[in-house]
C-alpha cells in the first residue's frame, strides 16, 4: 500500500510541475481513446449473429461459429497465403530500399542537389492511390508504354495486370517506388546526427567511402532499422485493401484476393458483418502475436526493442 501511495504522490507532483505537457498530450490521448479503444466494444460482433435491427446486445451469441466458418471455407487458405506472399515479398524487397537510398543520398556532397533528390524521392508518397493505380493501368494496357516498347523490340505483349504472377510483382515494385523515399526520411535524420569528426578521423586513417558507410553509418542507423523491422513484422498481415482492390480483375483474382479485400467484400458488400468482423479479429490477433514474437527475438539478440 505504501508503494501505491508513493506512486500516487509522485504522479500528483509530476502533474503539478508539468501540467503544460499533459495539456498538450490530452488531444492525442482523446484521439486514441475515441477511435482506437472505444470501438473495441464492437469486437463482440465477431462472436454474435449480428443484426443491425437488434443491435449488438440484442443479437444472438454464436461463439466461435464465424471463425470456424472461415477456416472451413475454401477461400481461407487462398486469402491467407496471398496476404503472406505479398506482405513478405514487400518486406524482403522493400525494407532495404529506404536504407540504401538514405545512405546513397547522404554521400552526395552537393547539398542543393541532395535536397532536390530528397524532395523528388518523397513525391510519390503524396500521390493518391487512385492516381497511382490509374498510372499503372495505363502503362500496362495494350496501348500503354510497356506495350509500345515491346512492339518496338518485336516482342509479343499481353496485359500484365491480367496475369496473377505479374500482378504480384507489379503491386510490390510499385509500392516500393511509392514508399521508398518517404521511408528513408527517418534514416536521413539519424545520419544527419552522426558526428562529422568520426568521418574525418576515419578519412585521415585511410578509410574508403565504403568502409565509412559500413563501420560508421550502418552501425549508427542499426537501432532504427531494428525498430522499423519490428513494426513492419507486426503489420505483416495488414496489407492495405485500397490499391489491391482497385487493381483487381476476375483474371488475377487468384493472386489478388487477400484478407483485407475479402473482409471488405464480405462485410460491406455482402453485409455479413459478423463473419467479416471475425476475420478481421483473427487478422489483428496474428499481427499482435507476430509483433510480440519479433520484439522478443530482437531483445534477445540485440539491445534494441520496442519494450
Amino acid at each position: 500500500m505504501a508503494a501505491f501511495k508513493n506512486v500516487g504522490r509522485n504522479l500528483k507532483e509530476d502533474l503539478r510541475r508539468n501540467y503544460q505537457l499533459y495539456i498538450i498530450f490530452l488531444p492525442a490521448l482523446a484521439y486514441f481513446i475515441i477511435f482506437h479503444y472505444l470501438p473495441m466494444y464492437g469486437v463482440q460482433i465477431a462472436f454474435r449473429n449480428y443484426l443491425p435491427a437488434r443491435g449488438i446486445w440484442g443479437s444472438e451469441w454464436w461463439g466461435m461459429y464465424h471463425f470456424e466458418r472461415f477456416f472451413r471455407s475454401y477461400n481461407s487458405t487462398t486469402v491467407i497465403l496471398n496476404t503472406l506472399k505479398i506482405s513478405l515479398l514487400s518486406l524482403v524487397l522493400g525494407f532495404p530500399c529506404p536504407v540504401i537510398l538514405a545512405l546513397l543520398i547522404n554521400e552526395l556532397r552537393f547539398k542543393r542537389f541532395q535536397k532536390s533528390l530528397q524532395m523528388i524521392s518523397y513525391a510519390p508518397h503524396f500521390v493518391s492511390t487512385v492516381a497511382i493505380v490509374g498510372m499503372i493501368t495505363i502503362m500496362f494496357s495494350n496501348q500503354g508504354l510497356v506495350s509500345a516498347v515491346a512492339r518496338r523490340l518485336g516482342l509479343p505483349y499481353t496485359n500484365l495486370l491480367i496475369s496473377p504472377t505479374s500482378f504480384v510483382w507489379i503491386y510490390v515494385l510499385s509500392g516500393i517506388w511509392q514508399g521508398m523515399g518517404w521511408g528513408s526520411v527517418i534514416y536521413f535524420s539519424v545520419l544527419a546526427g552522426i558526428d562529422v569528426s568520426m568521418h574525418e578521423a576515419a578519412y585521415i586513417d585511410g578509410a574508403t567511402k565504403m568502409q565509412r558507410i559500413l563501420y560508421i553509418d550502418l552501425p549508427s542507423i542499426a537501432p532504427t532499422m531494428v525498430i522499423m523491422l519490428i513494426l513492419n513484422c507486426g503489420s505483416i498481415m495488414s496489407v492495405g485493401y485500397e490499391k489491391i482492390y482497385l487493381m483487381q480483375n476476375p483474371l488475377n483474382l487468384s493472386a489478388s484476393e487477400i484478407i483485407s479485400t475479402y473482409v471488405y467484400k464480405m462485410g460491406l458488400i455482402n453485409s455479413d458483418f459478423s463473419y467479416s468482423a471475425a476475420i478481421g479479429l483473427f487478422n489483428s490477433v496474428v499481427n499482435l502475436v507476430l509483433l510480440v514474437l519479433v520484439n522478443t527475438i530482437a531483445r534477445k539478440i540485440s539491445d534494441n526493442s520496442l519494450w
Side-chain angles (χ1 to χ4, degrees), residues 93 95-106 180 184 187 221:
L93 297 181
F95 182 77
C97 291
V99 179
I100 295 171
L101 178 64
L103 291 172
L104 290 176
I105 295 180
N106 186 63
M180 180 171 58
S184 65
Y187 299 113
I221 64 175

Side-chain angles (χ1 to χ4, degrees), residues 86-137:
I86 292 174
S87 188
L88 288 174
L89 195 59
S90 299
L91 179 62
V92 172
L93 297 181
F95 182 77
C97 291
V99 179
I100 295 171
L101 178 64
L103 291 172
L104 290 176
I105 295 180
N106 186 63
E107 289 301 316
L108 296 175
R109 290 296 169 257
F110 297 99
K111 295 301 180 182
R112 183 174 297 180
F113 180 64
Q114 184 186 63
K115 298 298 182 183
S116 301
L117 197 57
Q118 286 181 11
M119 292 180 64
I120 292 171
S121 67
Y122 300 161
H125 174 77
F126 299 99
V127 180
S128 70
T129 302
V130 175
I132 291 291
V133 174
M135 293 165 57
I136 292 172
T137 303

Side-chain angles (χ1 to χ4, degrees), residues 18 24-26 32 37 39 45 52 95 117 122 129 151 161 165 183 185 194 215 227 244 251 271 286 300:
N18 304 302
I24 296 174
F25 173 69
L26 282 178
F32 279 98
Y37 286 94
I45 291 175
F95 182 77
L117 197 57
Y122 300 161
T129 302
R151 285 197 301 269
L161 289 177
T165 303
V185 172
I194 297 176
Y215 297 107
I227 297 300
I244 286 189
L251 297 176
S271 300
V286 172
K300 288 185 177 181

Side-chain angles (χ1 to χ4, degrees), residues 64-81:
M64 302 297 292
Y65 169 78
H66 298 293
F67 296 93
E68 296 172 1
R69 176 186 166 194
F70 172 63
F71 288 113
R72 287 198 304 263
S73 170
Y74 69 92
N75 288 319
S76 61
T77 302
T78 301
V79 298
I80 292 173
L81 290 179

